[in-house]
Structure formats: structure tokens, C-alpha cells
Amino acid sequence: MWTPIAEEAERATRVLHPDALQLPRPARRRVLTVANQKGGVGKTTSTVNLAAALALHHLKVLVIDLDPQGNASTALGVEHRSGTPSIYEVLIGEISLADAAAPSNQTDNLVCVPATIDLAGAEIELVSMAARESRLKEALSPEALDSLQPDYVFIDCPPSLGLLTLNAMVAAQEVLIPIQCEYYALEGLSQLLGNIELVQQHLNPDLDVSTILLTMYDGRTKLADQVTTEVRNHFQERVLKTVIPRSVKVSEAPGFGQTIITYDPGSRGAMSYLDAAKELAVRGAEMGTT
């Protein structure tokens, strides 16, 4: 007999036991910076849930937490108290990337380089360092990444356009921009795109805004549809077909040190991030054929 609870349980089973679905490996290792200087758009939430969804489907994923708040580290169940080996020590050259990487307790194949409160002062320290905008790129050298062998690297940025975000853009090949389906969604987006263009011109000509993810979609409002249409018209094929709905469960999950994939695997939020991850994986596989 069909019931809503039975349907959700069946969806949860499909999510947590995805052996029947093997997502394709990317044609080459993908390094994506997840950036938006506007806070509260689902940037960290999207980073950790996309990473967990890909890892659940047997792809190896590395998350770099570059936000001093350490929210991505929290959601992935990785220790990030002061004194923990973190991305801060990697940036200033004290330890290697592999020394700071810690396995997530969310799923196999998922590793995180955490952020501690020490990262809060990193922008000031980096100012006086040589090649200050390329510190992360040096840390993410092919040799360093080969030691961890990730298929995907996600860099979670702070909600600003400072030196940490600049380091992330110089180190990455792609930018993934989460955009909320609300009134102020596009406010400041031109500034972000302008900064990306400057990075392309002067520091990283290979950087590409490859992916736009619409988040916090509320189908009850006409405004959400208007924002969605405007973003799709402007960015066209860069926008993922999957839209992430506004969800209390998605917001709750980090408070329990989990992603939505493990916290409530049968929920609409989990299924949406799973679908978005599938799109991301298929696009990654197609890169080698275009």
C-alpha cells in the first residue's frame, strides 16, 4: 500500500544503496571553486552535498574548506578545532595537502581539508608573502593531488571577494556559482563576474564559469520562477536543469554534523542534490568528447 512514508523510505534506500547507478568519472580531474560573495545563497550547503552525492556513487572527492567559519568541515564531520592540521598551515607552507586531509565520516571516498579559526587572519598574513594569490595553486599541485587521487576537488570560499577567494580562483579550472531564487539573487553578481574576468585576464586564463546552480527554489512564489527564467536566459546551458528546493531539512543537517544525503536521504533536498551531482558527473565525462 502506498503511503508518503513508504515512498520516502523507498527513495532513501535508493540514495543510500546506489550500486545500480555508477556515475561516470570525469575526462580529467575537475577542480571547482564554489563562489558567491553574497552570503546565505547555499554555497557551503551545495559544496558538501554535491561532494557527498558524488562520493556516494564511488567517485573520489576532496573538499577544501577555505571559509574561516569552517561550516563545510562541520557538515562533513571533520574535526576543525584550533590546532588541527588545516588549510591555514597548507597555505603558509608548514604542511602538505595530504597532511591536512582528513576522511569524512559521511561516506567513503570523501576527504576534507578543514578550516580552523586560524584561517581568519590568513588574508593579512598572505599580503606580505611572495606569490600571495597563488599559494593555494602551489598547494594543489598535480603531485599533491595525485597523492590523494580525487576525481573532483571542491573549494568552498568565504562570502567575500578577498584574497582567499582569489586564491581559490587562481587554483581552480572551473567556477560553480550557486544563485538563490530570490529577489536579491543577481545583486552583486556582476561584480563577481567582473572579478572572475580579471582573474582570467591576469592570473588564470583557463578559469571558466562552467556551472550555475539554482538554490532555495520555492515553487509557491511567482518570483522564484521569474528569477529562474532570468538566470537561464542569461547563462543558458551553464545552468543545471536541477533546481534545489527551499528545505528545512537541508538547513538542519549541518547542525547534526551531516549532509542532507545522510541526514534525510529520502527527502526532496537529498534527491535534488543527487540529481544535480548526476548532471555534474555527466558533464564532466562529456568534457573529453567535446
Side-chain angles (χ1 to χ4, degrees):
M1 181 181 297
W2 180 90
T3 65
I5 294 176
E7 182 181 16
E8 185 164 334
E10 193 270 336
R11 290 201 304 262
T13 301
R14 291 204 312 269
V15 170
L16 294 177
H17 302 282
D19 295 333
L21 176 63
Q22 178 73 51
L23 294 183
R25 294 193 181 280
R28 64 174 188 274
R29 178 181 294 140
R30 297 181 69 182
V31 182
L32 299 99
T33 284
V34 185
N36 192 326
Q37 82 275 18
K38 189 177 185 302
V41 300
K43 178 174 51 60
T44 297
T45 299
S46 296
T47 299
V48 299
N49 286 307
L50 288 172
L54 290 167
L56 191 67
H57 288 84
H58 314 297
L59 295 172
K60 293 184 178 180
V61 184
L62 170 64
V63 173
I64 308 290
D65 190 351
L66 209 60
D67 187 342
Q69 297 178 78
N71 292 334
S73 306
T74 298
L76 294 177
V78 174
E79 181 62 63
H80 61 103
R81 289 179 296 182
S82 183
T84 303
S86 69
I87 192 62
Y88 168 74
E89 287 81 10
V90 174
L91 285 174
I92 63 175
E94 287 187 357
I95 62 176
S96 69
L97 187 71
D99 290 335
S104 168
N105 61 12
Q106 298 296 291
T107 182
D108 295 334
N109 304 314
L110 182 54
V111 176
C112 174
V113 177
T116 65
I117 192 62
D118 299 324
L119 190 60
E123 293 207 54
I124 298 174
E125 293 185 47
L126 288 173
V127 168
S128 60
M129 290 186 176
R132 60 189 181 186
E133 68 281 341
S134 302
R135 304 291 295 186
L136 185 60
K137 181 179 180 179
E138 293 173 9
L140 297 181
S141 66
E143 295 76 21
L145 289 176
D146 284 345
S147 67
L148 297 171
Q149 296 186 321
D151 297 302
Y152 283 84
V153 180
F154 290 95
I155 307 173
D156 184 41
C157 296
S160 69
L161 295 176
L163 199 47
L164 289 175
T165 300
L166 180 60
N167 263 266
M169 290 183 181
V170 172
Q173 305 152 349
E174 305 174 52
V175 180
L176 187 159
I177 305 177
I179 299 177
Q180 64 186 134
C181 300
E182 295 183 357
Y183 182 74
Y184 293 113
L186 305 180
E187 187 178 78
L189 188 58
S190 59
Q191 184 182 2
L192 173 62
L193 295 174
N195 278 40
I196 292 172
E197 188 175 341
L198 287 174
V199 172
Q200 291 169 329
Q201 291 174 358
H202 301 289
L203 297 168
N204 184 3
D206 297 325
L207 187 64
D208 176 44
V209 180
S210 65
T211 311
I212 306 292
L213 177 63
L214 291 163
T215 64
M216 301 181 183
Y217 177 81
D218 188 345
R220 299 169 299 178
T221 67
K222 188 177 295 185
L223 177 62
D225 285 330
Q226 291 173 345
V227 172
T228 299
T229 299
E230 187 172 348
V231 171
R232 291 195 187 282
N233 287 340
H234 183 76
F235 291 102
Q236 299 183 359
E237 74 281 352
R238 297 180 181 183
V239 185
L240 294 182
K241 294 177 182 177
T242 302
V243 175
I244 308 301
R246 180 174 288 281
S247 168
V248 174
K249 293 288 187 180
V250 171
S251 302
E252 284 178 355
F256 293 87
Q258 298 182 56
T259 65
I260 189 60
I261 306 298
T262 55
Y263 178 68
D264 192 356
S267 65
R268 288 193 310 137
M271 298 304 293
S272 296
Y273 273 114
L274 192 62
D275 288 340
K278 291 176 188 175
E279 281 193 68
L280 203 62
V282 170
R283 290 186 180 195
E286 290 174 348
M287 284 180 176
T289 62
T290 57

